[in-house]
Amino acid sequence: MSKRITDIVRELVTPIVEEMKLELVDIEYVKEGKNYFLRVFIDSETGVDIEECGQLSERLGEKLDELDPIPYNYFLEVSSPGAERPLKNARDFEKSIGKNVAIKTYEPIDGEKQFEGELTSFDGTHVTLNIKIKTRIKEVTIPYEKIAKARLAVSFNF
């Protein structure tokens, strides 16, 4: 198969997601133990509910049954990415300015590879965070291409 399964699924699900006025956050196809899972994560400005997940699952399931691009039996899961949703692209970073994020980098920056703080700016090439260290705030700038993983981070202010 020349195309990756996630690419095929993206082509199938994108028109459905757009028609439903939802956002496609991520797609993953993984083997866990003996089972394969195809996971589709969706969101919207107001969040998603179980009915929207069910509708998308049903519609995508029909398309997958027609095309049959996956050679193994699998479980299809459609859900929200949750409160700590991944930041996968520039648009996600732009939408997350002012929010608390967690970032892991490919290589150390100022001796660290993990950062958590308020995303204060994103210019397309650099991400700037305000990180609280005890009682002071430190500004850290991270080159976008050095980010291995990023997600929203839930913070508990007491």
Side-chain angles (χ1 to χ4, degrees):
M1 186 171 286
S2 60
K3 273 189 169 178
R4 288 187 10 211
I5 288 171
T6 54
D7 294 334
I8 293 167
V9 173
R10 185 174 310 280
E11 288 176 14
L12 292 173
V13 76
T14 297
I16 302 169
V17 167
E18 289 173 354
E19 181 185 314
M20 293 177 69
K21 297 187 178 9
L22 299 171
E23 173 191 356
L24 179 60
V25 175
D26 198 11
I27 299 170
E28 61 182 34
Y29 179 65
V30 294
K31 184 175 184 185
E32 294 177 0
K34 295 179 183 178
N35 298 313
Y36 286 89
F37 292 87
L38 175 60
R39 295 187 176 114
V40 178
F41 298 95
I42 56 172
D43 208 353
S44 76
E45 292 296 323
T46 58
V48 293
D49 60 29
I50 196 158
E51 283 185 34
E52 290 167 310
C53 292
Q55 288 172 3
L56 182 63
S57 178
E58 188 175 313
R59 292 179 66 186
L60 176 58
E62 289 171 2
K63 293 279 187 194
L64 289 167
D65 288 345
E66 284 174 28
L67 192 59
D68 200 21
I70 302 174
Y72 307 102
N73 291 330
Y74 61 93
F75 294 96
L76 173 61
E77 297 177 353
V78 176
S79 67
S80 160
E84 294 193 335
R85 71 174 276 173
L87 305 179
K88 296 291 213 169
N89 53 48
R91 185 170 165 258
D92 289 344
F93 280 90
E94 289 165 1
K95 287 174 45 179
S96 299
I97 291 173
K99 296 181 181 174
N100 203 47
V101 299
I103 294 176
K104 291 181 184 177
T105 57
Y106 291 113
E107 57 192 56
I109 296 170
D110 295 332
E112 300 289 330
K113 288 179 75 174
Q114 295 188 31
F115 304 88
E116 185 172 326
E118 180 189 355
L119 175 60
T120 58
S121 71
F122 174 67
D123 65 8
T125 58
H126 292 86
V127 171
T128 304
L129 300 180
N130 279 343
I131 297 173
K132 189 172 184 179
I133 302 170
K134 296 185 181 178
T135 59
R136 65 183 182 89
I137 302 291
K138 177 183 176 184
E139 185 177 273
V140 177
T141 300
I142 303 168
Y144 183 59
E145 74 272 0
K146 294 193 179 188
I147 296 174
K149 277 187 153 181
R151 62 173 173 77
L152 291 179
V154 174
S155 63
F156 298 97
N157 297 322
F158 294 98

